[in-house]
Amino acid sequence: ITQHNMPVKPKYTEGEKVLCFHGSMIYEAKCLKVEIKDKEVKYFVHYSGWNKGWDEWAPEARILKYNEANLAKQQDMKKQQESRSRRGTKRKGEDDLGDMCYGSSREHSRDRSRRKRTKPNKLAGPGATTEEVKLHIPDSLKLRLAQDFQAIEEKKLRKLPALPNISKILNDYSSYFEKKENTAKNGVLKDITDGIKLYFNETLGTRLLYESERSQYEQVVEPHLDNEQPSEIYGAEHLMRLFTEFGGLLSCMYTDQEDLSLLTGHLEDVLKYIAENEASVFSDDCYSPSETR
């Protein structure tokens, strides 16, 4: 254990079997190292059944004790994810995600169709022969995902409409980079942000909601879909859920390695921007008990 003059006691020890939040799921893991720095405890974890490329440092807030109660929580989270996936089997909007690389114009579409495609990979899991594309999500945003799930477990709902909403967050991202990048890249930025909004709008109701949120969606969102899109109602918390879906989605798209690298880089730029502007993008008081929404 590496200590930096901080009298902080870790909850878990090196070699201990634990559970760890990663994206919108909880996985079995082993604590390999413990570090205490600047009053914060971090654990270097290895996810059981996954290769070492997924090993990472995780803050204590993402770690759970390996016991029956938390294993039940893991199974509940898995069932909710499977339920969302079944509702989104058709994956409407998937082609629009691929169009982010080139834009949606007819010329770009022709260019895209001429490019060599590889066979789609199956979604990866422990022991799989093909791996899920690894989209780097900053540690602070992983913690936000864990906190989001904890709020759902406490029977809370995200207050709607969110401020700022997803459209504003992505528009602000585009405006920020337009000042830094050349004109040619500005068009690509618009394709990226428009694609994320479109994919969010198409998949929110089928892939991104927990069961406890469906009533809120049906009452608050569906009646207004003719005038407002989900990306104009929901905020960063639900946008982060979408980003946890991208790794698996990119793994099974008909696209070559150059396309994957290009699109992954753009998506990680968005994540980096959100992490750097976390204070203005997220609110610490954005959930309310579901019965009083």
Side-chain angles (χ1 to χ4, degrees):
I1 299 176
T2 304
Q3 294 192 354
H4 298 269
N5 301 319
M6 294 295 176
V8 179
K9 185 178 180 180
K11 292 182 180 179
Y12 312 97
T13 59
E14 292 179 2
E16 183 174 353
K17 190 175 183 178
V18 297
L19 295 170
C20 184
F21 281 97
H22 185 89
S24 60
M25 296 292 288
I26 298 175
Y27 295 94
E28 293 185 10
K30 183 178 182 179
C31 178
L32 303 180
K33 301 176 186 177
V34 184
E35 180 181 84
I36 305 172
K37 185 177 181 181
D38 298 331
K39 297 183 179 181
E40 183 180 12
V41 183
K42 286 191 174 183
Y43 303 87
F44 191 69
V45 297
H46 170 72
Y47 295 100
S48 302
W50 295 81
N51 67 41
K52 293 181 180 179
W54 291 93
D55 292 0
E56 63 174 345
W57 286 99
E60 197 164 74
R62 284 176 51 205
I63 309 295
L64 298 173
K65 201 75 177 175
Y66 191 89
N67 57 33
E68 289 187 8
N70 289 328
L71 284 170
K73 181 183 290 187
Q74 179 195 35
Q75 289 303 309
D76 180 62
M77 203 168 185
K78 182 179 180 181
K79 288 178 182 177
Q80 297 240 25
Q81 177 69 21
E82 289 173 348
S83 176
R84 296 198 301 270
S85 296
R86 283 195 297 271
R87 289 196 298 270
T89 300
K90 293 182 180 180
R91 293 187 178 185
K92 186 179 179 183
E94 184 172 296
D95 289 340
D96 302 300
L97 178 62
D99 286 335
M100 289 186 204
C101 292
Y102 305 102
S104 56
S105 71
R106 186 171 300 175
E107 179 181 352
H108 283 154
S109 297
R110 285 198 301 268
D111 180 59
R112 185 180 173 210
S113 66
R114 288 195 296 265
R115 298 177 67 87
K116 183 180 178 180
R117 307 286 180 83
T118 58
K119 293 182 179 179
N121 297 326
K122 294 180 180 179
L123 295 183
T129 56
T130 56
E131 289 192 17
E132 179 174 318
V133 174
K134 190 172 183 180
L135 190 64
H136 175 70
I137 299 178
D139 289 342
S140 63
L141 299 185
K142 290 178 182 177
L143 183 56
R144 292 284 182 179
L145 282 162
Q147 293 169 341
D148 178 45
F149 176 72
Q150 292 287 5
I152 296 296
E153 282 284 286
E154 295 169 6
K155 302 187 185 305
K156 295 179 179 179
L157 294 175
R158 176 60 166 93
K159 297 175 186 176
L160 300 177
L163 294 174
N165 60 41
I166 291 170
S167 289
K168 178 168 174 48
I169 293 169
L170 294 175
N171 289 342
D172 288 348
Y173 161 78
S174 294
S175 297
Y176 173 75
F177 276 95
E178 281 173 2
K179 297 175 182 177
K180 299 174 57 178
E181 304 289 349
N182 58 47
T183 304
K185 287 189 176 182
N186 289 347
V188 175
L189 283 175
K190 187 177 187 306
D191 292 331
I192 293 293
T193 55
D194 285 351
I196 294 173
K197 292 177 199 174
L198 181 58
Y199 198 75
F200 180 86
N201 293 336
E202 297 287 1
T203 60
L204 172 70
T206 57
R207 297 183 67 86
L208 304 179
L209 296 177
Y210 292 101
E211 287 298 328
S212 59
E213 296 176 299
R214 297 209 61 79
S215 177
Q216 181 193 44
Y217 174 79
E218 291 166 1
Q219 295 176 28
V220 178
V221 180
E222 281 191 334
H224 305 286
L225 287 178
D226 289 340
N227 301 313
E228 281 186 300
Q229 292 298 315
S231 59
E232 298 172 302
I233 299 172
Y234 287 85
E237 295 78 16
H238 287 77
L239 179 60
M240 288 303 96
R241 296 183 197 177
L242 176 64
F243 273 92
T244 67
E245 295 275 331
F246 278 147
L249 177 65
L250 295 176
S251 300
C252 61
M253 284 180 61
Y254 282 82
T255 184
D256 62 19
Q257 191 59 46
E258 182 181 348
D259 296 342
L260 282 174
S261 297
L262 178 63
L263 184 50
T264 299
H266 284 310
L267 294 174
E268 289 182 343
D269 282 345
V270 176
L271 286 167
K272 183 179 179 182
Y273 170 83
I274 292 173
E276 290 175 349
N277 295 273
E278 191 173 345
S280 60
V281 169
F282 291 91
S283 170
D284 293 328
D285 184 30
C286 63
Y287 294 92
S288 63
S290 58
E291 63 271 17
T292 60
R293 65 179 181 273

